[in-house]
Amino acid sequence: MDKNNRTNFHYQKALELFKKNNVTEAVKELKLCLKFNPKDVLALNLLALGYYLKCRFDKAENYWRQSLAIKRKNNQAIDYLELITKKDFLELRQEYKEILFNDTVGKSEKIEFLKTIINKHDELIEPYLILGLLYKEDQNYQEALKYLYQAYDLDSGNKNIKDYIMECENIENKYKFFSLDRFDLSRFNLEKFKFFKYKKETTLILTALLAVFLIFYINSEEQPVQLDNTVQQEEIKKQSAAAENNKNQNPDQESQQESKNEGFNSLNNLDLKLDLMKFKAIENPISLDLIRTIKENEAKKNSAETYEEYFSEDREQELFNLGLQALRNQRYQDAAAIFEQLYKFSEAEYLKRESLYLLARSSQLTQNYLAAENYYQLYIDNYPETNYYEEALYNLGLLLDEQDKLKEAKEILQQLREDAPYSSYNNSKVYDILNKEN
């Protein structure tokens, strides 16, 4: 199959997937299409539409602009770009980032905002998904399923949505099963459970149980046979005579048996309260630092493999949501692992930016202070005009002070005072640190 045929094959497949509301798989096909022909205007426009539906507005805009750079006349990309660059939609895009991915915003406000988006743009997939996850987090599984089903209707190829639905359905079914007040016990005739009412059935049950017990008993380990005194004494005499005869014929075997008995007795007589400090590595001891480094590297490798599918399937936003959920649930190690992957590998600039700050915060909460200092400083150096800038300066200043790095702490907090003199973070703690003596 030549290049043009391959391009057309993947494009037509993507079209069919769009018709079936399978946006995730359609996006994969379009990316394959563009590998064979990066200048295919139709594929660029359709891929941008896929990203738009998945609320990857920056990516959508980028692909529509690529399409326009190739062809301007009679190109639908003009209409799409006009839609997502209008003032009201630009404001929505900004609010989308600031409200949904900000820990200081309450859950109820996020829910109301998402419902507003759905009312205005019911074609977008992610608002349904995030709403479902917010309700799932509150254990309101019926409401969660309501929105997750709608997300699935819009994108039937999204594996995460399927997994969330199955998880909620399983929990909901368990609740239904164990809610005894929902059962009408009057439907059951409890009289029939009286044990001796049906003698024939009772006899059959007991016989069956006895048979099972006997089979189990016969197949278990052989039990020692108890002999009466006379027979037992005769048996002992026979065994003694046989042993004596065997001793005369095989004197070496007897010494071997004695040594075995001595070994067995010595094991029995061992004092099991061993002093473990006596056991030392003979040579090349492995240090605790080396073990810790090996474990950390292995954990990073596992994390990268675990999260790789999110990047290959353009599901970075879902991964970011999982990181936020981990952070809220105080699973700081998990959160740090997720935000590190996003900061390193995400193509969405706002996700890289938000993940960097949250990586710094997660590292601080796991008491990995050196990493936290580096990440805060990276954020401050690269994103001075963003929403977490003042908070990053404040957190880093306090962290440096706690680590007895007073000079560095003063420099950072002085920067906070100069760059944001009216910030709420310019509080008494900042004043106290700036007035400490070096």
Side-chain angles (χ1 to χ4, degrees), residues 21-22 30 32 61 63 68 88 114 141 147 158 179 187 192 205 209 228 246 273 298 303 345 347 375 389:
N21 289 337
N22 190 340
L30 289 164
L32 288 171
E61 183 178 345
Y63 280 110
L68 272 180
D88 59 342
L114 287 165
Y141 298 107
Y147 287 102
N158 189 315
S179 295
R187 291 181 296 143
K192 70 181 180 182
I205 291 168
L209 288 172
D228 63 46
N246 190 48
K273 295 179 181 177
E298 192 63 30
S303 295
F345 302 115
E347 294 178 11
Y375 292 133
Y389 178 69

Side-chain angles (χ1 to χ4, degrees), residues 86-317:
K86 278 183 178 178
K87 184 181 177 184
D88 59 342
F89 201 89
L90 281 173
E91 289 173 357
L92 183 143
R93 286 169 65 177
Q94 187 63 28
E95 284 180 314
Y96 196 84
K97 299 172 187 177
E98 291 177 354
I99 293 176
L100 294 184
F101 311 119
N102 188 342
D103 281 343
T104 60
V105 177
K107 190 177 293 184
S108 58
E109 187 178 343
K110 290 180 180 180
I111 288 172
E112 288 306 312
F113 175 67
L114 287 165
K115 288 180 178 178
T116 302
I117 292 178
I118 289 171
N119 287 332
K120 292 180 179 178
H121 302 278
D122 60 355
E123 73 279 7
L124 298 175
I125 299 161
E126 194 169 68
Y128 296 102
L129 173 57
I130 298 177
L131 262 176
L133 292 176
L134 289 172
Y135 281 118
K136 176 177 174 285
E137 196 174 298
D138 282 346
Q139 300 181 357
N140 186 347
Y141 298 107
Q142 288 186 343
E143 201 68 13
L145 283 168
K146 169 184 163 184
Y147 287 102
L148 289 172
Y149 287 143
Q150 291 178 82
Y152 180 75
D153 286 341
L154 292 172
D155 187 9
S156 59
N158 189 315
K159 184 178 179 295
N160 259 24
I161 297 175
K162 293 177 189 175
D163 292 342
Y164 293 137
I165 287 173
M166 287 179 66
E167 188 179 342
C168 288
E169 283 180 342
N170 288 337
I171 296 171
E172 183 69 7
N173 289 336
K174 284 177 186 176
Y175 281 173
K176 286 179 181 176
F177 181 81
F178 288 107
S179 295
L180 295 179
D181 56 315
R182 301 188 185 186
F183 287 94
D184 182 8
L185 296 178
S186 64
R187 291 181 296 143
F188 297 97
N189 182 9
L190 299 180
E191 285 295 314
K192 70 181 180 182
F193 293 105
K194 289 185 178 177
F195 190 74
F196 292 105
K197 185 174 180 182
Y198 300 98
K199 292 183 180 178
K200 183 179 178 182
E201 286 82 356
T202 303
T203 305
L204 287 171
I205 291 168
L206 289 174
T207 305
L209 288 172
L210 182 59
V212 171
F213 175 76
L214 286 172
I215 291 168
F216 176 79
Y217 185 83
I218 289 167
N219 286 296
S220 63
E221 285 187 25
E222 290 184 10
Q223 302 297 319
V225 180
Q226 298 298 323
L227 306 174
D228 63 46
N229 285 340
T230 307
V231 177
Q232 194 170 358
Q233 288 174 8
E234 286 296 322
E235 188 65 27
I236 291 169
K237 287 179 182 178
K238 287 179 184 178
Q239 289 180 4
S240 299
E244 188 64 30
N245 186 42
N246 190 48
K247 176 182 174 182
N248 294 332
Q249 291 179 2
N250 300 294
D252 293 338
Q253 189 172 346
E254 186 214 2
S255 62
Q256 289 173 12
Q257 185 63 38
E258 284 177 358
S259 66
K260 285 180 182 177
N261 290 340
E262 286 174 8
F264 180 74
N265 290 334
S266 64
L267 282 172
N268 283 338
N269 293 330
L270 266 179
D271 181 7
L272 296 179
K273 295 179 181 177
L274 301 174
D275 183 1
L276 297 179
M277 293 303 294
K278 292 178 182 177
F279 294 90
K280 297 180 180 178
I282 297 171
E283 57 183 351
N284 297 328
I286 300 176
S287 69
L288 288 175
D289 288 339
L290 179 57
I291 293 171
R292 192 178 295 113
T293 303
I294 292 169
K295 285 184 176 180
E296 286 174 358
N297 290 339
E298 192 63 30
K300 286 180 180 178
K301 179 184 174 185
N302 292 340
S303 295
E305 290 172 355
T306 301
Y307 305 129
E308 184 180 359
E309 64 179 272
Y310 288 91
F311 296 99
S312 63
E313 297 174 8
D314 295 303
R315 290 158 52 204
E316 293 101 321
Q317 188 69 64

